[in-house]
Amino acid sequence: MVPSSQTAPPVASSPISSSETLAARAVDILSTLVAFDTTSRLSNLALIEWVEAYLADLGVASRRVPNADGTKSNLLASIGPAVEGGVVLSGHTDVVPVDGQPWSSDPFVLTERDGRLYGRGTCDMKGFLALALAAAPDLARAELDRPVHLAFSYDEEVGCLGAPDMIAVIADELPRPALVVVGEPTDMVAVRGHKGIASFRVTVTGREAHSSLTHLGVSANMVAIKLMNHLVELSERLEREADPASPFTPKGATLTIGQVNGGTAVNILARECVFIFDLRVPAGLEPKAILAEFFALAETLDARIKAKAPEGGVRVETRSMTPAFAPEVDGAAEAFARRIAGDNGPPRVVPYAAEAGQFQGAGFSTVICGPGSIDQAHQPDEYVEVSQMERGAAFMRRLVEDLSRA
């Protein structure tokens, strides 16, 4: 189901909508956003076009920051005066696939059951996008003393690929914002740090031959197993060497091999084996330094294959390199989010990677705070609780109040 463009919902006559009105508006918008299948392998442009029309009906101009071939785009919009000190509300528009998952209802139709809103992307992270857009009518008519910048990205789920170009525009062309709120699911509490992620694709090319005549060929699978065994041993070492004082769970760097594909038949030496792995590291650790011995082994095995089969070899490609998000000392963004969310809890970090590290790398004080739990992300029957949308609506209402002129 792909919804047609619709106008912005009517806004209340009071200066700022009630939290209840904002929550209802957000749920209505979430229904529309979920109906767009923005799985990362697809374009997000239909959703972007809808958001552009929605904002235009409020008198808010927006700007695309597209990918190289124009099939996907980030979207930027500023509401309020063109001055420094504004707040960026950032989230990604893409979602993970539903292929093979046993959903109880259509993943692209928002379905409410027992106080939960089910649908792909409800918590990760269209719920936050819906809340930001639900606040837009109030922001557009308020007398703000600082602006709010909406920053919606593409391809976060496949390596945070879209955000860097968008962040560069914010840094180079907008009045300098004071802080960034990245609305990944945190149960509407402030998160001050996340691990970074580096992912790699390894392609081993051998030479096919009958499996009884191993001297005539090179099994790509057998070579790939040597490389994967090295990574397994490295992952075990990283676990042993993890800092016991680390605030993360798991505490240290983690390494997993997520995909393996090799060979065509049991009695044929495999011509090709491809595997993909990711390494997640806390701030202060350098992925390529950790993998130095692995890269050296890959070069050694590449030379051995070429000595027997010049057309073969080992190729290691970097798929993504998303920086970690380090806790800030007296961070302005965390202090802001805690105050607006009414959060007096302990300092928190998360093991997943997000775009917060990219914003921080560009010099912005950053915090993660959004509705829903990461426990529901990427799962069949993904959901966000209605109560989380209500808490998010209260957050947005207080944000409007905070930025409005007295």
Side-chain angles (χ1 to χ4, degrees):
M1 172 183 176
V2 177
S4 59
S5 178
Q6 61 189 63
T7 59
V11 297
S13 58
S14 60
I16 302 177
S17 299
S18 67
S19 295
E20 293 77 12
T21 298
L22 274 171
R25 192 185 300 157
V27 171
D28 181 62
I29 294 171
L30 180 59
S31 178
T32 298
L33 298 182
V34 166
F36 291 104
D37 182 356
T38 53
T39 305
S40 302
R41 63 180 175 235
L42 304 175
S43 173
N44 71 334
L45 292 184
L47 182 149
I48 293 297
E49 289 168 2
W50 184 88
V51 175
E52 287 173 329
Y54 173 89
L55 293 173
D57 285 337
L58 299 173
V60 176
S62 56
R63 169 183 176 178
R64 295 189 187 190
V65 183
N67 66 349
D69 62 12
T71 57
K72 301 181 182 184
S73 188
N74 304 295
L75 190 71
L76 282 173
S78 298
I79 307 174
V83 298
E84 295 187 350
V87 174
V88 177
L89 301 179
S90 181
H92 60 83
T93 61
D94 62 316
V95 297
V96 296
V98 300
D99 304 17
Q101 293 187 334
W103 283 74
S104 301
S105 56
D106 188 332
F108 299 107
V109 175
L110 190 70
T111 304
E112 183 173 357
R113 298 193 302 272
D114 302 321
R116 295 173 175 175
L117 300 168
Y118 290 87
R120 175 54 88 219
T122 46
C123 81
D124 188 15
M125 56 179 299
K126 291 180 177 178
F128 181 79
L129 301 185
L131 287 165
L133 291 170
D138 292 280
L139 290 165
R141 68 163 177 258
E143 293 188 16
L144 302 178
D145 59 10
R146 289 172 289 159
V148 169
H149 307 285
L150 305 181
F152 297 170
S153 67
Y154 67 87
D155 280 2
E156 188 272 352
E157 295 289 7
V158 289
C160 298
L161 304 181
D165 287 345
M166 178 179 69
I167 293 170
V169 172
I170 295 172
D172 297 340
E173 301 182 27
L174 296 185
R176 185 93 182 159
L179 58 97
V180 178
V181 179
V182 176
E184 292 281 358
T186 67
D187 291 316
M188 287 308 305
V189 296
V191 165
R192 56 164 49 187
H194 67 61
K195 291 183 179 180
I197 179 173
S199 64
F200 301 86
R201 176 184 285 104
V202 182
T203 303
V204 181
T205 304
R207 175 184 289 171
E208 289 178 317
H210 194 285
S211 61
S212 67
L213 302 172
T214 55
H215 64 292
L216 297 181
V218 177
S219 169
N221 286 350
M222 299 291 277
V223 176
I225 287 169
K226 294 179 181 179
L227 290 164
M228 287 189 279
N229 182 64
H230 178 92
L231 293 176
V232 170
E233 292 179 348
L234 175 58
S235 71
E236 293 170 350
R237 178 168 66 81
L238 292 172
E239 183 177 4
R240 291 193 303 270
E241 295 176 354
D243 181 358
S246 168
F248 288 100
T249 304
K251 289 189 174 298
T254 61
L255 190 155
T256 61
I257 301 168
Q259 290 180 282
V260 181
N261 186 14
T264 56
V266 68
N267 58 354
I268 301 175
L269 298 184
R271 186 185 67 82
E272 183 178 87
C273 184
V274 179
F275 65 92
I276 301 174
F277 70 95
D278 74 42
L279 173 63
R280 296 172 183 265
V281 298
L285 296 180
E286 171 52 48
K288 290 191 175 181
I290 293 173
L291 292 169
E293 291 183 5
F294 171 80
F295 295 142
L297 175 61
E299 289 183 4
T300 298
L301 295 176
D302 176 73
R304 288 181 187 174
I305 293 174
K306 283 181 166 58
K308 190 172 185 180
E311 73 276 18
V314 178
R315 184 172 74 255
V316 182
E317 301 170 278
T318 302
R319 292 180 67 252
S320 63
M321 189 69 67
T322 303
F325 169 40
E328 301 172 11
V329 177
D330 299 322
E334 182 179 3
F336 176 85
R338 283 179 172 275
R339 177 167 55 81
I340 299 297
D343 175 14
N344 296 313
R348 307 174 187 89
V349 297
V350 291
Y352 59 79
E355 295 166 342
Q358 294 173 320
F359 277 102
Q360 186 180 63
F364 295 108
S365 180
T366 305
V367 67
I368 306 175
C369 185
S373 168
I374 196 64
D375 293 345
Q376 277 74 60
H378 301 193
Q379 303 295 315
D381 288 345
E382 177 184 349
Y383 68 84
V384 64
E385 294 178 353
V386 173
S387 61
Q388 282 289 301
M389 295 299 288
E390 292 170 345
R391 287 188 63 179
F395 178 98
M396 292 298 172
R397 188 178 194 279
R398 287 192 286 268
L399 181 143
V400 177
E401 290 174 337
D402 190 79
L403 299 183
S404 295
R405 296 179 184 138

